[in-house]
Amino acid sequence: MSGRRTLGPGDLLRLGVFGLRTRPGRVVLSALGIAIGIAAMIAVVGISTSSKAELDRALDALGTNVLTVTTAQSITETPPLPPTALGSVLRQDDVEAAAAVGTVEGAHGYRTPYVPEPETKGIGIMAAEGDVPAVLGGSVRSGRWLVGGSDAPDQVVLGAAAAAALGIDHVRADSRVWLGGRWVQVVGTLAPMALAEDLDAQVFVPPSTAASLGFDGHPTAVYSRVDPAQVVVARDLLARAISPGSPQDVGVSRPSDALAAKNATDDSFTGLLVGIGGVALLVGGIGVANTMVITVLERRAEVGVRRALGARRRDVRDQFLVESLLLSFLGGVAGVVIGSTVTVVFAIGQGWPVAIPPWAVLGGLGATVVIGGVSGWYPAARAARIPPTSALAAV
């Protein structure tokens, strides 16, 4: 008995592959459960990471040094920003550029004079001073931005949503809107502004035009682009610069913080989806265990013959354990391929950069090995305990 040859890793691998090749249909169905779980986890993590990469790319392009000055949010009524707010902001050393907008109360833009006044479609009129899209990292989609100055002619620029609602995609010589009882020439349309989505549904006019519509001169918001190294300091200085006597009435926020908060909300949803993928992975592991138990019962005669020819219990146990590991690993590889493919297709379709974390791929494959070992241990140990006599009696 001392002359028994111990099965090496190569022998066990060949036996495991042979065992799986004899039952291809069952192997595919069992590995499918593992593949679905891994694919779900890889796809969720990959799509989430690609979305974050797109957000980071957008923030890099837009900049995180934009500050928005508005009236402070309070349970009591706070005074509006003073007409001198933009000038006060521009005088600060850390401010690189600034622009202001102010809501023209009761004024709306229409496609024709025959549209009833209550049907505003949410399109408001805003006085704009300074290059608003440039400060906010936006762009003019068609035409140009407003010409400033106290003697500026009547003209309008449409936000992205306002242009869509009014049916003006591209600026032409006859592009105009009905505004304040008269036709006003449209000189430009804007692309969506990620840092100030509330401006997309607005019609922008010069201060002179806004004054003729009843604008009181108080800006609703002042947007400033500051020195990136002085963002925290500038947040405190701007409120005092605009309202030295009551800085608490002035609120200063950073629009990029809202995008980061949205990303944090997406992280919670991603965690839920990863949990669902984990449940699918657990179900797949149970399927592997069930397959291996049935395999042991079907191959009792094979086990008996091997034991009668001198195979040790450890050899039989290792053989079935290797089969379980191979089965799970094949499912894991298939899941990684499927999940990665889904991520690539979805990210490219959205115009995002493809970002699949290496830890997700390695973690997925590692999880399949653990599941294969756990789910295959009991069937393998059960096979090793089968007495040769009872196994051969079943032949």
Side-chain angles (χ1 to χ4, degrees):
M1 300 295 289
S2 60
R4 291 178 177 175
R5 186 174 72 88
T6 302
L7 292 178
D11 299 322
L12 289 173
L13 182 60
R14 283 190 293 272
L15 283 172
V17 172
F18 176 77
L20 295 181
R21 288 176 59 187
T22 57
R23 305 177 314 281
R26 187 176 297 168
V27 167
V28 171
L29 293 177
S30 299
L32 185 61
I34 298 289
I36 290 174
I38 294 296
M41 296 179 71
I42 294 293
V44 168
V45 173
I47 291 174
S48 175
T49 306
S50 298
S51 176
K52 291 178 183 178
E54 173 63 19
L55 175 62
D56 292 340
R57 186 171 70 175
L59 288 178
D60 288 341
L62 296 172
T64 58
N65 61 329
V66 174
L67 296 178
T68 301
V69 180
T70 59
T71 55
Q73 299 294 324
S74 175
I75 58 175
T76 60
E77 185 177 355
T78 54
L81 296 177
T84 57
L86 178 59
S88 299
V89 169
L90 286 171
R91 283 192 292 271
Q92 304 308 304
D93 294 336
D94 296 329
V95 175
E96 299 174 348
V101 295
T103 302
V104 181
E105 299 292 343
H108 303 280
Y110 299 93
R111 187 171 185 176
T112 71
Y114 307 107
V115 177
E117 289 189 3
E119 297 183 13
T120 65
K121 294 186 178 182
I123 299 175
I125 306 299
M126 276 195 160
E129 189 173 0
D131 197 337
V132 175
V135 173
L136 288 174
S139 62
V140 177
R141 174 177 288 174
S142 175
R144 59 171 175 81
W145 180 242
L146 300 170
V147 173
S150 57
D151 57 347
D154 286 343
Q155 56 191 298
V156 301
V157 170
L158 307 179
L166 294 172
I168 302 176
D169 295 330
H170 299 282
V171 175
R172 298 187 299 270
D174 59 346
S175 297
R176 56 183 185 170
V177 295
W178 185 256
L179 182 65
R182 62 187 185 276
W183 289 108
V184 180
Q185 180 70 35
V186 177
V187 297
T189 61
L190 301 180
M193 289 192 283
L195 292 181
E197 295 180 349
D198 56 313
L199 299 184
D200 288 341
Q202 304 300 316
V203 172
F204 301 95
V205 299
S208 55
T209 302
S212 67
L213 297 173
F215 179 52
D216 60 6
H218 292 277
T220 305
V222 178
Y223 303 103
S224 60
R225 191 170 288 273
V226 302
D227 183 349
Q230 301 297 324
V231 172
V232 176
V233 175
R235 294 181 78 158
D236 296 330
L237 292 179
L238 290 182
R240 293 187 178 92
I242 292 175
S243 182
S246 52
Q248 70 276 4
D249 292 337
V250 180
V252 183
S253 61
R254 187 161 61 167
S256 58
D257 290 343
L259 294 178
K262 177 180 180 297
N263 187 61
T265 303
D266 292 342
D267 285 345
S268 301
F269 188 63
T270 298
L272 174 63
L273 294 179
V274 169
I276 295 174
V279 172
L281 196 57
L282 177 62
V283 172
I286 294 174
V288 170
N290 182 61
T291 296
M292 294 309 300
V293 169
I294 295 175
T295 299
V296 169
L297 294 177
E298 291 179 344
R299 297 165 64 184
R300 287 170 61 90
E302 175 191 332
V303 172
V305 172
R306 290 197 59 209
R307 290 294 309 279
L309 293 175
R312 294 173 297 181
R313 287 187 175 183
R314 187 178 68 181
D315 295 331
V316 175
R317 181 199 63 201
D318 291 347
Q319 175 189 347
F320 282 92
L321 186 59
V322 167
E323 287 189 23
S324 177
L325 290 171
L326 284 174
L327 182 58
S328 297
F329 186 73
L330 289 174
V333 171
V336 168
V337 172
I338 295 172
S340 299
T341 302
V342 171
T343 299
V344 170
V345 172
F346 187 86
I348 293 177
Q350 295 292 323
W352 298 347
V354 178
I356 303 175
W359 63 261
V361 176
L362 297 177
L365 294 177
T368 62
V369 173
V370 172
I371 289 174
V374 172
S375 60
W377 182 260
Y378 170 72
R382 179 174 179 174
R385 290 195 300 267
I386 298 176
T389 54
S390 63
L392 292 173
V395 179

